[in-house]
Amino acid sequence: MLGEGIVKGMLETAKNFAGSFVSEDRLTTVEYPEQRIPTAENARVFPFLIYDGPDWHAGLRCVACQICEKECPPKCIYIEKSKDKKPDFVGKPQIYPARFDIDISVCMSCQICVEVCPFEAIKMDTEFELATGDRFGGLLLDCRELAKSNEYYHSIHPTEAAEVDARLAEEKKAAEAKAKAAAAAAAQKAAADAAAKAAAPKPGAPAAGGS
Amino acid sequence: MKTVEEIKAAIEAAVPGAGVTVVLNPSPSAQHSLRLEPAHALAVAAFLRDDPELAFDYLSNVTGVDWLDKEIAEKVKVTRQVTKTVDGPEGTKLEQVVDEIVEETRKHVEPGSLEAVYHLYSVALRHGPLVLRMRTVNRTDKVELPSLTPVWRAAELQEREVFDLYGIVFTGHPDLRRILMWDEFKDYPMRKDYVEPDDYEYEPTAHDAVLKRAQEHRSREQGSRD
Amino acid sequence: MSVAETRTERSAGWNRPPAVEPEGEGELLEVAMGPHHPSTHGVFRMDVSLDGERVVRLKPVFGYLHRNHEKIAEGVAYLASMPYTDRLDYFCSLTNNWAYALAVEKLAGQEVPARAEYIRVILAELTRIQNHASTIGFLLQEMGASGTPLMYAFREREKILDLFESLTGSRMMCNYMRFGGCRVDLSSAWIEATKKVVAGLPAFVDEFEALLTGNEILMARCQGVGVLKPDLAVNAGISGPMLRASGVNYDLRKVDHYGIYDRFQFRVPLGDHGDIYDRYMVRVLEMRESIGILNQALQDIPLGPIMDAKAKLRGFRPKPGEAYGRIEAPKGELGFYLISDGGPNPYRYRVRPPSLINLTVLEDMCLGHNVADVVLIFGSVDIVLGEVDR
Ligand code: SF4
Ligand code: SF4
């Protein structure tokens, strides 16, 4: 019968219309600024730098190795190395970024900087409401604006942050063990040296045994 | 599918004097290719499409490659005759001609070319790919290649694109115009020696190549103001 | 343009479409459809010459979105092009990733672990379903069904995009695959969520079909319009659902045996008329087959590593050589052709864009039809301008 298909289609629409009053599943939109959908845990927007402890400058994990600057596809990271050094999380003195800028008007949220960073220093943020009227200044984030605490990282990506912390703790333990072993070895060597010195024949005394 | 050598033999049997050479591909993909003489390319293409055993009826991909002029420096050993003074008997000096082997660096320029690459498959027999290549004589004035669009319609837009971005002129193409760039555009942007126009825009994080462009732009700006 | 001029132009051409003779002589009406026409899915122009309502000449104009993707890719390392491939066909970033990864893996001779292959299949089939659903939605939008089918398609697409976001971090610019594997592993929670979404999909396709397939208006507008003959389709390099709607059995998942598609049972839907209606039907049936593949893949996905142990992220330099890798993307055959000179950047990087090549026959399909049909025929090709213009 002509028109059968249209009637069938209309029935489908009517079902959906009525259904949207009763079924949550059919109602997929929310009123955005008042109502929000929680962001997915893996969501990524723009990168930020992590610091440990209370002081953002002292705790910055980044050592200004400039790997991310080189690998970033649109080249929107700019780093200047510091002249002096500060201790990093295992206590080794390291240089730090004197300047670290990301131009988020160019950044394309690709996460490659995060993947290549060997120090777990840069991670992706989930903050997306960044609109500003200032094209150059407002979208150019400097080191201070980029630095966010490890606790913040835990609050946005809990699973990933826990993994990173475990990995860092292991590295730190390994580094400490190595340092300890090195110290022990040094002590031993010093002791041995001292012992050898003590046992060594006095200068001037005839060498025993000869050659 | 037949190997490239077998296909080469089949082509040479069907199109006398076709002048096909096999270009080996050292990568693990092992997709070897056949280089065609431009003069016989159309006949070879029609044979490849219509031969029932090959039946390459589907042209998948057409593209250009730019090979720049290469300066090749070779070390060659040459024997030269040199005159030397040697001590003769009783304190006299003698002039003697000796052969000496010296190493010389010779430079010669291998002329570059533009290359068109075609990837063929067979829908009927479900095999492929067969890669065809053609080279122009040089990169400047002798840049004509025969168009394969009369054999495979699939080349129509793709050859236009190669013309647009590389500047290979496909003779026999029914509608050879620029496709992606605008008609008034002069240069060929995909060539390796293409110089980008100075369309500098302020970028706060400039370093490396971007910084170089920025500096060039500024020096140019200053030059024009003076 | 005058009628006489179209005649000379046509007689100079070779295998041009059969001539549509304008009635009478004199001037034709020139209409520039686009670049800001709502039906062009972006910025694309068709210069149409009309004799009354009938199309007698149609010239596509490209390049409004050209950014020379290939040149950019030749200036950066292999890995850095991966996020740029997302922006080609921005509806299907995961299949773009796969095609590029496949070409590089061929070039460098890398192996992909089984689990990563399963992940790739799952993501590619989800991509195909959401792409086909939205394509049909847009097609109906252009037919005048403002909104309803498109909103139904987008409701389903939303669920799939949520899955992409929770796995890859982004809804459309996924940047997920790597040479020799994938970036992050699936959690069992993700697999459960996907199973739930996939379980709901057959009902959605049924609903979609109840809404559309038997609809008399759709049939009247689509059947016998924009016919593409199989021999022309093959000769013009048409691929994807458009080729199969013309009755040519050529699906790269079956032909090339890439990835692990051999392990799954699925059929290749074919049309017999090659008109818009067949293209619609082929897409609906492909969605059903994709659901079948998803069910099998989610069932047997093995445990194991997701990256080739030899693969490295930085300092990747394949040996000199070249490779062409292609996959069956939702829009057709997406290929990447790479030449390596042993350096960190590709010497030549070429994308074979199915959207552009499928437009080769646009004029052939449109000639003799009305202007309103041009919009439909164009919509049934299924293109994305990010890929056409690159
Ligand atoms: S963020 Fe990481 S990769 Fe970038 S400079 Fe700092 S330590 Fe190096
Ligand atoms: S996310 Fe990508 S584009 Fe943005 S700073 Fe990192 S590497 Fe650069």
Side-chain angles (χ1 to χ4, degrees), chain A residues 163-194:
Chain A
E163 278 168 26
V164 167
D165 272 6
R167 206 153 50 223
L168 284 179
E170 213 159 273
E171 258 174 51
K172 192 168 173 176
K173 222 162 81 193
E176 269 168 8
K178 214 170 126 198
K180 223 188 227 163
Q188 225 166 25
K189 191 155 172 279
D193 281 356

Coordinates of all heavy atoms in Angstrom, one line a residue, chain A residues 163-194:
Chain A
E163 N 49.9 4.8 38.8 CA 50.9 4.0 38.1 C 52.2 4.8 38.0 O 53.3 4.3 38.3 CB 50.4 3.7 36.7 CG 49.5 2.5 36.6 CD 48.9 2.4 35.2 OE1 49.5 2.9 34.2 OE2 47.8 1.8 35.1
V164 N 52.1 6.1 37.7 CA 53.3 6.9 37.6 C 54.0 7.0 38.9 O 55.2 6.9 39.0 CB 52.9 8.3 37.1 CG1 54.0 9.3 37.2 CG2 52.5 8.3 35.6
D165 N 53.2 7.2 40.0 CA 53.8 7.3 41.3 C 54.6 6.0 41.7 O 55.7 6.1 42.2 CB 52.8 7.6 42.4 CG 52.5 9.1 42.5 OD1 53.1 9.8 41.7 OD2 51.8 9.5 43.4
A166 N 53.9 4.9 41.4 CA 54.6 3.6 41.7 C 55.9 3.5 40.9 O 56.9 3.1 41.5 CB 53.7 2.5 41.3
R167 N 55.8 3.9 39.6 CA 57.1 3.8 38.8 C 58.2 4.7 39.3 O 59.3 4.3 39.5 CB 56.7 4.2 37.4 CG 57.6 3.6 36.4 CD 56.9 3.4 35.0 NE 56.3 4.6 34.6 CZ 55.0 4.6 34.0 NH1 54.4 3.5 33.9 NH2 54.5 5.7 33.6
L168 N 57.8 5.9 39.7 CA 58.8 6.9 40.3 C 59.4 6.4 41.6 O 60.6 6.5 41.8 CB 58.1 8.2 40.4 CG 57.9 9.0 39.1 CD1 57.3 10.3 39.5 CD2 59.2 9.2 38.4
A169 N 58.5 5.8 42.4 CA 58.9 5.3 43.7 C 60.0 4.2 43.5 O 61.0 4.2 44.2 CB 57.8 4.8 44.5
E170 N 59.7 3.4 42.5 CA 60.6 2.3 42.2 C 62.0 2.8 41.7 O 63.0 2.4 42.2 CB 60.0 1.4 41.1 CG 60.4 0.0 41.2 CD 59.4 -0.8 40.4 OE1 58.3 -1.2 41.0 OE2 59.7 -1.1 39.3
E171 N 61.9 3.8 40.8 CA 63.1 4.5 40.3 C 63.9 5.1 41.5 O 65.1 4.9 41.5 CB 62.7 5.6 39.3 CG 62.9 5.1 37.9 CD 62.4 6.2 37.0 OE1 62.8 7.4 37.1 OE2 61.6 5.9 36.1
K172 N 63.1 5.7 42.4 CA 63.8 6.4 43.5 C 64.5 5.4 44.3 O 65.7 5.6 44.8 CB 62.8 7.2 44.3 CG 63.4 8.1 45.3 CD 62.3 9.1 45.8 CE 62.9 9.9 46.9 NZ 62.0 10.9 47.5
K173 N 63.8 4.2 44.6 CA 64.3 3.2 45.4 C 65.6 2.7 44.8 O 66.6 2.5 45.4 CB 63.3 2.1 45.6 CG 63.3 1.6 47.1 CD 62.0 0.8 47.4 CE 62.1 -0.6 46.9 NZ 60.8 -1.3 46.9
A174 N 65.5 2.4 43.5 CA 66.6 1.9 42.7 C 67.8 2.9 42.8 O 68.9 2.5 43.1 CB 66.3 1.7 41.3
A175 N 67.5 4.2 42.7 CA 68.5 5.2 42.7 C 69.1 5.3 44.1 O 70.4 5.3 44.2 CB 67.9 6.6 42.4
E176 N 68.3 5.2 45.1 CA 68.8 5.2 46.5 C 69.7 4.0 46.8 O 70.7 4.1 47.4 CB 67.6 5.2 47.5 CG 67.3 6.7 47.8 CD 65.9 6.7 48.6 OE1 65.4 5.7 49.0 OE2 65.4 7.9 48.8
A177 N 69.2 2.8 46.3 CA 69.9 1.6 46.5 C 71.3 1.7 45.9 O 72.3 1.4 46.4 CB 69.2 0.4 46.0
K178 N 71.2 2.3 44.7 CA 72.5 2.4 43.9 C 73.4 3.4 44.6 O 74.6 3.1 44.8 CB 72.2 3.0 42.5 CG 73.1 2.5 41.4 CD 72.6 2.8 40.1 CE 73.7 3.5 39.3 NZ 73.1 4.3 38.2
A179 N 72.8 4.5 45.1 CA 73.6 5.5 45.8 C 74.2 4.8 47.1 O 75.4 5.0 47.4 CB 72.7 6.7 46.2
K180 N 73.4 4.0 47.8 CA 73.8 3.4 49.0 C 75.0 2.4 48.7 O 76.0 2.4 49.3 CB 72.7 2.6 49.6 CG 72.6 2.8 51.1 CD 71.5 1.8 51.7 CE 70.6 2.5 52.6 NZ 69.4 1.7 52.8
A181 N 74.7 1.6 47.6 CA 75.7 0.7 47.2 C 77.0 1.4 46.8 O 78.1 1.0 47.2 CB 75.2 -0.1 46.0
A182 N 76.8 2.5 46.1 CA 78.0 3.3 45.7 C 78.7 3.8 47.0 O 80.0 3.7 47.1 CB 77.6 4.4 44.8
A183 N 77.9 4.3 47.9 CA 78.5 4.9 49.2 C 79.3 3.8 49.9 O 80.4 3.9 50.4 CB 77.4 5.5 50.0
A184 N 78.6 2.6 50.0 CA 79.2 1.5 50.7 C 80.5 1.1 50.0 O 81.5 0.8 50.7 CB 78.2 0.3 50.7
A185 N 80.4 1.0 48.7 CA 81.6 0.6 47.9 C 82.7 1.6 48.2 O 83.9 1.2 48.4 CB 81.3 0.5 46.4
A186 N 82.3 2.9 48.2 CA 83.3 3.9 48.4 C 83.9 3.8 49.8 O 85.2 3.9 49.9 CB 82.7 5.3 48.2
A187 N 83.0 3.6 50.8 CA 83.5 3.4 52.1 C 84.5 2.2 52.2 O 85.6 2.3 52.8 CB 82.4 3.2 53.1
Q188 N 84.0 1.1 51.5 CA 84.9 -0.1 51.6 C 86.2 0.2 51.0 O 87.3 -0.2 51.5 CB 84.2 -1.1 50.8 CG 84.2 -2.5 51.5 CD 83.2 -3.4 50.8 OE1 82.9 -3.3 49.7 NE2 82.7 -4.4 51.6
K189 N 86.1 0.9 49.8 CA 87.4 1.2 49.1 C 88.3 2.1 49.9 O 89.5 1.8 50.1 CB 87.0 1.9 47.8 CG 88.2 2.0 46.8 CD 87.7 2.1 45.4 CE 88.8 2.4 44.5 NZ 89.2 3.8 44.5
A190 N 87.6 3.1 50.6 CA 88.4 4.0 51.5 C 89.1 3.1 52.6 O 90.3 3.3 52.8 CB 87.5 5.0 52.0
A191 N 88.3 2.2 53.2 CA 88.8 1.4 54.3 C 90.0 0.6 53.7 O 91.0 0.4 54.4 CB 87.7 0.5 54.8
A192 N 89.7 0.0 52.6 CA 90.7 -0.9 52.0 C 92.0 -0.1 51.7 O 93.1 -0.6 52.0 CB 90.2 -1.5 50.7
D193 N 91.7 1.1 51.2 CA 92.9 1.9 50.9 C 93.7 2.2 52.1 O 95.0 2.1 52.1 CB 92.5 3.3 50.2 CG 92.1 3.1 48.8 OD1 92.3 1.9 48.3 OD2 91.6 4.0 48.1
A194 N 92.9 2.6 53.2 CA 93.6 2.9 54.4 C 94.4 1.7 54.9 O 95.6 1.8 55.4 CB 92.6 3.3 55.5

